[in-house]
Amino acid sequence: MSIKAETSFSLADQLFNADSVARLSKNLKAAHKGFKPKRFEKTVLEAFPVLELKARISCMVDALDDHLPASFNDSLAILEAALPEPLDPTLTDDDFGEFIWAVPSEYVAKHGCSEERLDRSLAFLRRATMSFTVESAIRPFLRDFPEETMSFVHDCASHDNYHVRRLASEGIRPYLPWALRVIIEPDRVVEVLSKLHADNTRYVTRSVANTMNDLSRDHPALVIDTLNGWRNEARQHEGELDWMTRHSLRTLVKTDNADALELLGYPAAPQFSLGKVSATEKVKVGESLKWRGTLTSKAAQKLKVALRVYFLKANGTHSTKVFAIKDVDLGKGEKFEIDKALSFKPITTRVLYAGTHHVELLVNGKARGKKSFQLVT
């Protein structure tokens, strides 16, 4: 038997709705007297109910084909005039703009990704990203014109506007969510990130760290070597580089990569003992698993303590998820009492199956104290 929470929340409805479409069409009308805002709004809003988020953007882009001039240059000028004012350049983070302004850049990605339109299209994306990020729109250009677009990316990395600098790192993420996959040589990705890692805005450094984290999935040694190199350069504030390093290595840490743990100061072979382990033997859906134990450190060391749960799947195998407990610095002989409750309430992102599950303690990636328990309805 499977159990999953129901949800009525729709991100697509929150971001793309009558109000946001009206803001887009109002600006387009101001930029182009021939634009028919009511007809445009009617066309897309009638299509929206059966469309998810990305499909709604595509729907609006397609609708613009019937509402903008046949000339790409004329349409480009209208779209640029319709863009809202650039976001506040004095801020350093959490200034994303409105998602509705993804539409003009996606229009340009659809119609402007050609040799004769390349320079004008990339220039538009550089301006558009100051109002709303265009990392998804730049992907077709990276695919079809890699050399020219990577040259553009390097120019963006040196721009005085931090939204443009952030495009340089975010646009080349190996696993950019909701976007076209583009294969870029990892050394070329690092070359761009090395220009940006000392940036003074968290908006940019978070993007650098996210791109490094993506890169670590296929090239862990390169990521670790690069992070060590940045530390030796000492161009970034130490506290910010510490944060970036943790953020860059989060996937490797979840997979218990010894080199990543060592770089973060966690010994790959921690010295400890574990006693008084107990875990709930039967957990009812909607209630919590309780795990208890006493960890005794046998050396002065930094420990990352977590629980790993083996969730039963429909086919009888298990998938795992790690739940952090605490990072602790313990001296030799010090004890750490662990008392952790894990909720088994139904959630929208995981289907629960009644039957045998398992749980174990992880200390710097080393597993101890595995227990089985029954999930019941």
Side-chain angles (χ1 to χ4, degrees):
M1 178 180 179
S2 64
I3 307 99
K4 187 176 182 179
E6 299 294 333
T7 179
S8 59
F9 173 78
S10 168
L11 183 60
D13 286 342
Q14 184 182 51
L15 299 179
F16 302 119
N17 50 51
D19 290 339
S20 60
V21 172
R23 286 193 293 276
L24 172 64
S25 63
K26 178 183 177 182
N27 281 28
L28 287 168
K29 176 63 177 177
H32 177 43
K33 292 182 179 179
F35 187 78
K36 302 284 193 290
K38 296 301 181 185
R39 186 158 65 91
F40 173 77
E41 292 169 34
K42 183 175 185 295
T43 298
V44 299
L45 292 175
E46 286 180 349
F48 272 8
V50 297
L51 301 178
E52 296 301 328
L53 190 146
K54 287 286 287 185
R56 293 190 186 192
I57 296 176
S58 297
C59 172
M60 288 182 278
V61 168
D62 292 342
L64 286 178
D65 290 342
D66 298 326
H67 290 78
L68 292 177
S71 164
F72 176 74
N73 286 341
D74 290 346
S75 294
L76 197 66
I78 291 167
L79 290 171
E80 185 161 4
L83 290 172
E85 288 295 313
L87 298 163
D88 187 348
T90 67
L91 300 179
T92 60
D93 200 7
D94 296 331
D95 191 23
F96 295 95
E98 295 184 78
F99 276 75
I100 194 67
W101 297 109
V103 175
S105 60
E106 292 295 337
Y107 180 92
V108 171
K110 177 183 177 183
H111 295 288
C113 192
S114 64
E115 186 173 359
E116 65 274 17
R117 296 174 176 179
L118 181 61
D119 290 342
R120 293 190 299 274
S121 296
L122 292 177
F124 177 87
L125 295 184
R126 180 171 53 233
R127 164 59 187 91
T129 203
M130 299 182 195
S131 298
F132 184 77
T133 181
V134 302
E135 70 260 16
S136 177
I138 202 174
R139 306 291 276 196
F141 297 91
L142 286 165
R143 177 196 61 196
D144 296 345
F145 301 96
E147 294 304 320
E148 298 89 338
T149 308
M150 284 301 291
S151 177
F152 169 78
V153 164
H154 277 280
D155 288 342
C156 288
S158 302
H159 201 275
D160 59 0
N161 184 287
Y162 74 90
H163 288 276
V164 179
R165 297 197 303 275
R166 191 253 190 185
L167 171 62
S169 56
E170 197 72 8
I172 60 174
R173 283 183 62 174
Y175 293 98
L176 182 65
W178 299 348
L180 174 72
R181 281 292 309 280
V182 179
I183 305 301
I184 304 171
E185 287 297 319
D187 288 342
R188 301 191 72 180
V189 174
V190 168
E191 185 181 3
V192 176
L193 300 184
S194 292
K195 284 186 173 183
L196 293 165
H197 89 272
D199 203 272
N200 62 356
T201 66
R202 176 55 68 87
Y203 194 54
V204 175
T205 57
R206 181 188 292 110
S207 176
V208 170
N210 282 337
T211 305
M212 289 285 277
N213 185 58
D214 279 7
L215 201 60
S216 76
R217 292 168 59 174
D218 302 309
H219 307 282
L222 175 62
V223 167
I224 290 170
D225 288 346
T226 300
L227 290 168
N228 278 319
W230 291 351
R231 190 163 298 279
N232 291 334
E233 289 178 22
R235 291 196 295 122
Q236 177 58 276
H237 185 276
E238 185 177 359
E240 185 68 3
L241 187 56
D242 287 344
W243 179 89
M244 290 173 64
T245 300
R246 292 193 301 273
H247 208 60
S248 298
L249 298 177
R250 61 191 189 275
T251 293
L252 292 181
V253 168
K254 288 179 181 178
T255 60
D256 307 324
N257 182 281
D259 292 331
L261 289 167
E262 289 276 10
L263 182 56
L264 293 171
Y266 302 98
Q271 301 177 50
F272 68 97
S273 61
L274 185 63
K276 301 180 182 178
V277 175
S278 66
T280 310
E281 295 182 356
K282 184 177 292 185
V283 180
K284 188 174 182 179
V285 172
E287 298 181 351
S288 296
L289 165 79
K290 294 182 180 179
W291 194 100
R292 295 183 178 89
T294 301
L295 186 156
T296 303
S297 180
K298 295 185 176 181
Q301 56 192 335
K302 184 178 177 181
L303 302 178
K304 178 177 284 293
V305 185
L307 285 176
R308 178 161 58 198
V309 177
Y310 293 75
F311 288 95
L312 182 65
K313 296 165 62 175
N315 63 3
T317 63
H318 292 82
S319 62
T320 62
K321 180 173 175 58
V322 174
F323 297 87
I325 295 177
K326 193 174 184 179
D327 290 6
V328 292
D329 282 297
L330 297 181
K332 184 176 181 179
E334 276 194 83
K335 296 182 184 296
F336 177 48
E337 300 293 339
I338 305 166
D339 188 346
K340 180 71 172 179
L342 297 178
S343 173
F344 276 79
K345 290 181 180 179
I347 58 176
T348 58
T349 54
R350 179 181 296 113
V351 180
L352 296 175
Y353 294 92
T356 303
H357 299 238
H358 313 287
V359 60
E360 64 190 1
L361 189 73
L362 290 179
V363 180
N364 294 5
K366 302 301 181 183
R368 296 288 190 278
K370 190 172 184 178
K371 296 283 188 180
S372 300
F373 63 96
Q374 296 296 314
L375 183 66
V376 299
T377 56

